[in-house]
Amino acid sequence: MPVARVPRGGRGAGSVFVGRDAELRQLVGLLRTPPSVVIVEGEAGIGKSRLVLEASALLRADGVNVLEGGCHPLREPLPFGPVADALREAVPQAAQAGPLPRVTGALSALVPDLADLLPEPAGDPEAVGQRPTVAAGVRAVLAAVAPVVLVVEDLHWADEATRDLLLLLARDLPEQAALLLTYRTGDLPSGVPLLGAPYSLPAGTAGAEITLAALVEADLAAMARDALGAKATPELVRALHRRSGGLPLVIEEDLLTLTSMDAQAPTELGVSRSLREIIGQRVARLPPGAAALAGGAAVLAVPASERLLGRMAGLAEEETAEALTGALAGSVLHELGPDRYGFAHVLAGRAVYESLPGPVRTRLHRRAVEALRELEQPPLVQIAHHTRQSGDLAGWLEQAEAAAAQAESMGDLGTAADLLQQVLEQPGLAPERVARAALALSRATRYGTDYGRTVASMRGILATPGLPAATRGVIRRNLSMIMLNQGGDQAGIAELRKAVPDLEQGPPEQLARALSILASHAQEGGSAAEQTALLERAMALVADSEDEDSRSVVTVNYLDALGEHYDPRAAAVLAGMPRVHDNPHMVRCTTMALSNAVEWMAAAGDDEAATDYLREAAALALRNDMPLMMMYTDSYRVLLSWLAGEWDGFEREVEDFRHRYVPNPLVTGGLLGTAQGVAAAAKGRLALAVSHLETAIAQDGATTTSIPPAAALARVRLAAGDADGAWQALTGPPDMLGFVVRRECWTHSWDLVPTAVEILLARGERARAEELAGQHAAGIEDRRAPGATAEAALCRGLLALAERPCEAAAEFDRARAQWLGLGRPYPAALAGERAGAALADTDPAGATARLNAGGEVYRRLGATSHEARCLRRLKDLGQVPTPHVGRRTGYGDRLSPREQQVHDLLVHGATNKDIAAALFLSPRTAEHHAAAVLRKLGTTREQLAQPQDPPSP
């Protein structure tokens, strides 16, 4: 049975409630079937109180009385205190319902302020306040206000009298009463049963013990999105999860701090007061040896062996074993694996660390350096950290560079980059150290995703006085690649050109890398011949080089040029690149080349090959920890699904992708940006479509990446009857048609050439249209790119349409069959619709069949505007009756299918004129449907078009 959530803004207001659906369902289900006793267990901050709060709100909505009391860590607890708190709410309710049984008079000692509502105590006055008598009185009050749930939280702090009272109640609850208890295992007094004596459920009483575990990363991501919106990047979520260990208390306080103080990173957050107090109390209860062990563990900051912890605490072997047992029993340290001990989460260790006096911390850091160096495989990163924390800056610089080199050799580029960043942030470094660290950093950061920090750091390094020219050139070249690949910033090309003169003074391999990259990113003026010349020069520079890294980079860019033209040589070169190699850089280059190949194949319409390359690229990226490549391959997965006609859920897939990765150019630009624009146009959301496409073009500039959005934008404008505006979309700036002609990118089947031919014909420039179609046909003659073959048929059909419609229809049918064979239903439907329109005058039956087929595909895709266009054409042919989708008869207050289409457009801010154009209706009909939608939903255009909060997970 599904369980609803507490409405936001009510008693459950705060962070979104996540990760406890199963527990909430079980808890509420048991409490709704009294008598029942439910015990919720978990460490401090795990979310016990929030779970109780959510369950209480649901029960109250059912008309159940929820009485709440809590235990407190007082030195002299008040007997029956939490039950007395609950009675202060229950007694007035019970008294209002009718005379209370005399047994309830025994409660007057617990709630003296309510004594006037209670009857005179019965029996022996000395029995008043005794546990059985109090239990009978509480049971009578619960029965009077039933159905009821008595909640007692933090039972680990309860006094003996309260435990006994609750035990008596649990053994004999009223028929319509339930008992809900929460406690922390680690804080329960040693050897004391939870209820003072062993307890098992009586016959006829339902119940369970629910143990709460830490939240997983996906739960934290939902909380972060709810609190921070677009700022909740995957990197931030991972960092928050690492530091919190999934503890909701810490997560909520971190998110609150990030929101209220505009903090940007978890490193800016401290240990919360509440957690510091919890950990401080636990450490204070430890014996001296166990406390010393905890201090050593806090300084080490990573799980450690028993022997290493004893070395840190200065304890003998037997003393260490006893101290470790005490630290574990006190829930300060935890067993995290075989002979591995540490804190449950990062912040617990940090709380202990911050409680240590400064001299003690320094001494322990020095001891950590000595102890770690004695290990068989000394952990250099940890040694560098402790060296710095001990105050030895000179020693730390040496250790940090060594640790960074070790991390880079093992493929841990993130750790290497972080260490090198720290080195370069030190003032007064020698130029040779700056050059060495800067080069290493530029290598390590190239495959990362922290774009803003990396670019700022690299620019700072470039401004360092005294850098050798060759070093400066390499750093600037790497900066240009970060700008291009991570930020989609075409200014990276200018940086690369500035690097060439410096690189000419260094090793030829470094110059070769830059030239090959320039060839791959040649701008508007770059022709195919110029691109080839740059690549041939680069290949010649590394032909005899022993630098396999540089050879790999040049090969990747050479492959990029081959792939751009669907050159058959590319497959053999790519097949020869290593998938496994001792040098991680070689495998990264292979991964990058495979990822690029996905885009080449998709551009050529060869989705089967694209899928094969994607599968291999994604596996290598994951295996070799390449987050940037994982981001690219994931974007291609979403794209290929869309190309295959899986439009249902595409918007959700894109939104999931946006949240999965840091802000990047792949969502707003390139192929995903184009797909969003094309899908929006097909649904009639023209303003949204234009926004997507213009953003993509502005972001990517004159590169092959801008071919698809330029073609799609021109198609939108042409469909609106604006041939001149459509031509402007192709010829710029940026001049993408000129780019395609100069670079001879004829195999890119993104509809640019057929669109250009159609626009030229609409503008009366038939000769130019024929010339362009001829260039395209000649350019693909020896390539056999499947998508380009379909587009060549489209071009022939467009040129024949005016005078030879049957011949045009045959070419359009040929294109349709080609696209169907490639598994792309959308362009196939467009081609089939063209064929139907061409046959309208000569073969009405054939036209009807093609238009019906196209309309069916559009319907399945959700391309409502295209579907409406097909229906209009069929109506003009007299082949179908006027559609009934707009009539309200039979739908009552529900939206009809046509009204649902209108609703979807209104949500995106469409005017009546926009709706009429999108659905091929008269303005008056569009106005009629829009008014019906607003009336049925009881809303306005402004309210409907307001951005909606995403549903709670």
Side-chain angles (χ1 to χ4, degrees):
M1 175 180 176
V3 178
R5 295 284 171 79
V6 179
R8 304 297 293 276
R11 299 187 72 250
S15 62
V16 66
F17 183 69
V18 299
R20 304 286 191 229
D21 279 348
E23 292 87 347
L24 181 61
R25 190 177 299 111
Q26 181 185 12
L27 176 57
V28 173
L30 288 167
L31 297 178
R32 280 173 173 165
T33 56
S36 55
V37 178
V38 184
I39 300 171
V40 178
E41 182 270 327
E43 65 172 303
I46 200 66
K48 300 184 295 297
S49 294
R50 180 60 186 273
L51 178 65
V52 170
L53 180 67
E54 295 285 335
S56 298
L58 294 170
L59 293 166
R60 286 190 174 100
D62 290 345
V64 177
N65 274 318
V66 180
L67 309 177
E68 298 171 329
C71 305
H72 303 284
L74 303 177
R75 291 188 179 275
E76 296 179 358
L78 174 67
F80 309 126
V83 179
D85 290 340
L87 291 177
R88 285 188 176 88
E89 181 181 353
V91 168
Q93 294 181 43
Q96 190 175 10
L100 289 170
R102 289 196 65 188
V103 70
T104 60
L107 305 178
S108 57
L110 275 69
V111 283
D113 50 326
L114 300 177
D116 58 332
L117 298 178
L118 297 168
E120 287 293 326
D124 184 358
E126 293 185 1
V128 176
Q130 292 185 1
R131 295 168 196 178
T133 308
V134 171
V138 172
R139 189 180 298 109
V141 171
L142 294 179
V145 296
V148 63
V149 174
L150 174 61
V151 178
V152 178
E153 292 210 67
D154 297 320
L155 196 56
H156 49 275
W157 283 325
D159 59 283
E160 181 184 352
T162 299
R163 293 179 195 278
D164 287 350
L165 171 59
L166 293 173
L167 176 63
L168 293 171
L169 288 174
R171 287 174 173 171
D172 186 19
L173 278 169
E175 185 176 346
Q176 290 299 310
L179 188 60
L180 172 55
L181 310 174
T182 75
Y183 80 104
R184 307 177 197 163
T185 305
D187 290 321
L188 192 65
S190 178
V192 176
L194 181 64
L195 293 176
Y199 168 77
S200 58
L201 288 171
T205 299
E209 183 159 348
I210 300 173
T211 301
L212 299 186
L215 298 180
V216 299
E217 191 172 310
D219 300 328
L220 197 157
M223 296 173 69
R225 285 198 298 270
D226 181 72
L228 304 176
K231 294 181 181 178
T233 64
E235 278 70 18
L236 177 62
V237 168
R238 281 192 286 272
L240 289 174
H241 193 262
R242 280 196 300 271
R243 81 181 235 112
S244 68
L247 198 64
L249 171 70
V250 178
I251 296 168
E252 290 185 358
E253 294 198 13
D254 280 354
L255 292 175
L256 181 62
T257 303
L258 286 169
T259 302
S260 61
M261 300 180 61
D262 198 27
Q264 298 299 312
T267 54
E268 301 176 39
L269 303 173
V271 181
S272 68
R273 175 195 54 77
S274 54
L275 183 63
R276 189 182 296 112
E277 291 175 352
I278 291 168
I279 299 300
Q281 288 175 350
R282 291 182 182 176
V283 174
R285 292 196 294 262
L286 294 179
L293 212 66
V299 169
L300 286 173
V302 295
S305 66
E306 179 179 348
R307 181 178 180 183
L308 181 56
L309 289 173
R311 177 84 162 78
M312 289 293 296
L315 299 175
E317 184 175 343
E318 291 184 2
E319 294 174 320
T320 299
E322 182 179 353
L324 181 56
T325 301
L328 293 171
S331 295
V332 174
L333 295 183
H334 297 261
E335 186 174 5
L336 304 177
D339 195 28
R340 284 293 179 270
Y341 305 93
F343 296 92
H345 47 80
V346 172
L347 290 186
R350 188 169 166 185
V352 174
Y353 181 85
E354 292 177 357
S355 72
L356 298 173
V360 174
R361 288 201 300 263
T362 301
R363 185 170 64 252
L364 285 172
H365 280 297
R366 289 175 182 156
R367 188 175 292 173
V369 171
E370 297 169 359
L372 293 171
R373 281 177 173 162
E374 295 172 358
L375 298 178
E376 185 176 347
Q377 294 182 327
L380 299 186
V381 173
Q382 294 178 47
I383 291 173
H385 166 75
H386 294 297
T387 302
R388 185 175 191 180
Q389 294 303 115
S390 69
D392 183 3
L393 181 60
W396 170 73
L397 288 171
E398 297 294 335
Q399 290 291 342
E401 286 194 73
Q406 182 189 61
E408 183 181 3
S409 70
M410 298 174 66
D412 187 357
L413 301 181
T415 297
D418 187 60
L419 286 165
L420 293 166
Q421 287 274 13
Q422 294 177 45
V423 169
L424 289 166
E425 287 166 1
Q426 300 307 305
L429 294 180
E432 59 271 19
R433 173 161 272 157
V434 171
R436 187 170 62 244
L439 282 172
L441 177 61
S442 67
R443 291 193 305 269
T445 56
R446 182 174 174 183
Y447 299 98
T449 55
D450 191 354
Y451 178 71
R453 181 185 179 192
T454 301
V455 169
S457 175
M458 298 284 257
R459 291 199 183 282
I461 297 166
L462 286 170
T464 304
L467 274 181
T471 299
R472 186 171 58 245
V474 173
I475 296 170
R476 194 181 299 279
R477 183 203 66 206
N478 289 342
L479 169 62
S480 73
M481 293 309 300
I482 292 166
M483 294 172 69
L484 290 167
N485 292 338
Q486 294 186 31
D489 187 350
Q490 296 306 306
I493 295 296
E495 291 288 347
L496 190 55
R497 290 200 177 101
K498 287 168 65 177
V500 169
D502 285 338
L503 291 170
E504 287 176 336
Q505 301 181 44
E509 292 87 352
Q510 300 298 337
L511 176 61
R513 288 189 181 206
L515 295 177
S516 69
I517 297 166
L518 278 174
S520 295
H521 294 81
Q523 292 291 285
E524 292 186 17
S527 66
E530 291 168 338
Q531 180 189 36
T532 301
L534 284 172
L535 283 169
E536 287 178 350
R537 183 184 175 195
M539 293 291 282
L541 286 170
V542 297
D544 299 321
S545 173
E546 296 181 359
D547 183 353
E548 57 186 13
D549 285 6
S550 294
R551 286 204 316 272
S552 294
V553 170
V554 173
T555 301
V556 168
N557 291 302
Y558 174 61
L559 271 170
D560 210 29
L562 294 179
E564 184 178 302
H565 300 93
Y566 199 66
D567 192 309
R569 292 175 292 177
V573 175
L574 186 52
M577 297 186 73
R579 273 62 171 174
V580 178
H581 201 278
D582 292 338
N583 183 350
H585 180 78
M586 300 285 285
V587 181
R588 292 191 202 106
C589 284
T590 300
T591 308
M592 186 179 298
L594 286 165
S595 177
N596 291 343
V598 179
E599 192 163 329
W600 311 332
M601 297 299 106
D606 193 346
D607 293 351
E608 183 176 352
T611 301
D612 290 341
Y613 284 133
L614 173 60
R615 189 178 299 111
E616 192 173 8
L620 282 178
L622 181 62
R623 189 184 312 148
N624 293 280
D625 190 23
M626 298 176 67
L628 182 63
M629 287 298 100
M630 286 190 275
M631 180 176 71
Y632 269 90
T633 55
D634 209 8
S635 76
Y636 293 142
R637 176 190 59 77
V638 176
L639 174 78
L640 288 173
S641 293
W642 181 81
L643 290 173
E646 296 176 18
W647 286 26
D648 184 29
F650 171 66
E651 293 177 8
R652 184 179 62 253
E653 287 267 10
V654 171
E655 195 61 26
D656 288 346
F657 176 80
R658 187 193 308 276
H659 287 303
R660 228 175 0 256
Y661 300 98
V662 295
N664 62 74
L666 303 185
V667 171
T668 55
L671 302 179
L672 273 187
T674 301
Q676 292 173 78
V678 170
K683 298 174 188 292
R685 304 169 184 171
L686 301 185
L688 180 62
V690 170
S691 175
H692 278 306
L693 300 172
E694 288 182 341
T695 298
I697 295 168
Q699 178 176 291
D700 295 313
T703 65
T704 53
T705 309
S706 288
I707 293 175
L713 180 60
R715 177 64 59 191
V716 169
R717 291 179 176 170
L718 183 62
D722 182 9
D724 291 339
W727 185 248
Q728 180 66 26
L730 291 185
T731 57
D735 181 2
M736 293 314 302
L737 179 59
F739 176 91
V740 168
V741 172
R742 284 189 301 275
R743 289 284 288 270
E744 301 175 14
C745 303
W746 303 115
T747 59
H748 280 250
S749 51
W750 296 123
D751 197 36
L752 186 136
V753 174
T755 300
V757 168
E758 189 170 1
I759 294 170
L760 287 170
L761 291 172
R763 286 161 57 93
E765 300 181 58
R766 185 175 183 85
R768 289 185 67 183
E770 290 175 344
E771 179 186 6
L772 179 61
Q775 287 178 290
H776 178 262
I780 68 170
E781 188 173 359
D782 61 342
R783 292 289 184 248
R784 293 185 174 82
T789 301
E791 294 196 341
L794 285 175
C795 290
R796 292 193 299 270
L798 290 167
L799 291 171
L801 184 59
E803 297 179 357
R804 303 181 302 281
C806 291
E807 180 183 326
E811 293 291 355
F812 295 146
D813 281 339
R814 191 169 288 114
R816 175 179 180 273
Q818 180 78 356
W819 283 123
L820 284 177
L822 297 175
R824 293 196 187 179
Y826 178 63
L830 290 171
E833 184 188 356
R834 286 183 183 277
L839 295 173
D841 294 333
T842 59
D843 183 4
T848 299
R850 288 165 174 79
L851 291 172
N852 274 324
E856 181 57 37
V857 173
Y858 296 146
R859 189 175 304 112
R860 180 173 60 81
L861 297 177
T864 51
S865 183
H866 291 352
E867 180 190 357
R869 186 178 61 227
C870 277
L871 289 173
R872 172 62 63 182
R873 283 177 165 162
L874 286 165
K875 181 182 176 184
D876 291 343
L877 285 170
Q879 300 298 316
V880 293
T882 302
H884 293 282
V885 293
R887 295 182 181 175
R888 292 198 305 273
T889 303
Y891 291 100
D893 290 333
R894 294 181 296 111
L895 298 183
S896 70
R898 174 67 85 203
E899 288 166 350
Q900 186 61 55
Q901 294 172 348
V902 172
H903 168 271
D904 293 343
L905 294 171
L906 286 171
V907 166
H908 289 81
T911 64
N912 289 343
K913 183 178 178 181
D914 297 332
I915 295 169
L919 300 179
F920 296 87
L921 304 171
S922 70
R924 186 174 182 83
T925 303
E927 180 182 1
H928 169 76
H929 287 312
V933 170
L934 299 176
R935 176 182 57 77
K936 288 184 177 184
L937 298 180
T939 187
T940 65
R941 286 177 180 271
E942 292 74 18
Q943 291 173 334
L944 204 56
Q946 285 179 354
Q948 300 295 310
D949 292 332
S952 297

